[in-house]
Amino acid sequence: GNGDEPSQAIAKHIPNRRKPQVHEQVRAVVPAGATLYTDSLKSYDGLQDDYVHFAVDHAIEYVRGAIHTNGMENFWSLFKRALKGTYVSVEPFHLNAYVVEQTFRFNQRKDNDAGRFRKALGSVAGKRITYKELTGRASVAAAA
């Protein structure tokens, strides 16, 4: 960006933090040659073959010059606050939907409510979710 643009997040629920899954997800969204700033999770080891990778070990320090994860720490702090304070009870099969919603909110944080509403409404045209997809149940009668 030009320095005036807020940072943007890309987030997705993945089933585990093992190296193959982490590498697959990073490579799916981050172009080769990009600079990565991560914490010291061992699953990131090996990404330096395709990226400029800097890590900060939170057991030792949180910032080393320009190397930090403060932006993502802010994102996850807001996400956890929403889970605990707004949603309260989250079914695991809906977790990615909450991640998508909070990513949208974070990435549109400089817009106002009306702007966010227009963008959100524009992204749902022609899409639908069935009762079964929403609840994991086949019918209303099954829920009783």
Side-chain angles (χ1 to χ4, degrees):
N2 61 11
D4 294 331
E5 297 294 320
S7 59
Q8 299 287 291
I10 300 171
K12 179 181 180 182
H13 173 251
I14 60 175
N16 61 63
R17 299 180 308 167
R18 289 192 286 261
K19 188 182 291 189
Q21 287 76 24
V22 170
H23 283 217
E24 177 186 350
Q25 295 302 318
V26 169
R27 288 188 171 102
V29 296
V30 181
T35 301
L36 298 177
Y37 297 95
T38 70
D39 61 16
S40 60
L41 180 71
K42 294 295 182 195
S43 296
Y44 296 124
D45 289 352
L47 287 172
Q48 64 273 13
D49 297 342
D50 297 315
Y51 302 97
V52 179
H53 180 209
F54 298 101
V56 61
D57 185 344
H58 290 161
I60 299 169
E61 60 194 353
Y62 283 88
V63 177
R64 188 172 64 252
I67 303 168
H68 61 80
T69 58
N70 293 351
M72 284 311 298
E73 297 289 343
N74 179 43
F75 171 83
W76 290 119
S77 173
L78 294 170
F79 180 75
K80 289 175 190 175
R81 187 178 311 147
L83 283 183
K84 293 176 184 174
T86 302
Y87 306 122
V88 183
S89 178
V90 174
E91 295 294 335
F93 63 91
H94 284 310
L95 185 56
N96 201 57
Y98 290 103
V99 171
V100 168
E101 177 189 350
Q102 290 303 313
T103 301
F104 175 81
R105 288 177 178 276
F106 182 82
N107 290 341
Q108 304 304 319
R109 64 193 179 278
K110 296 293 183 177
D111 204 348
N112 60 29
D113 287 342
R116 281 189 294 275
F117 180 76
R118 281 192 295 277
K119 287 177 185 164
L121 198 57
S123 71
V124 299
K127 297 180 183 173
R128 72 185 264 269
I129 185 168
T130 65
Y131 179 82
K132 183 177 180 180
E133 291 170 321
L134 180 64
T135 64
R137 297 181 178 132
S139 68
V140 176

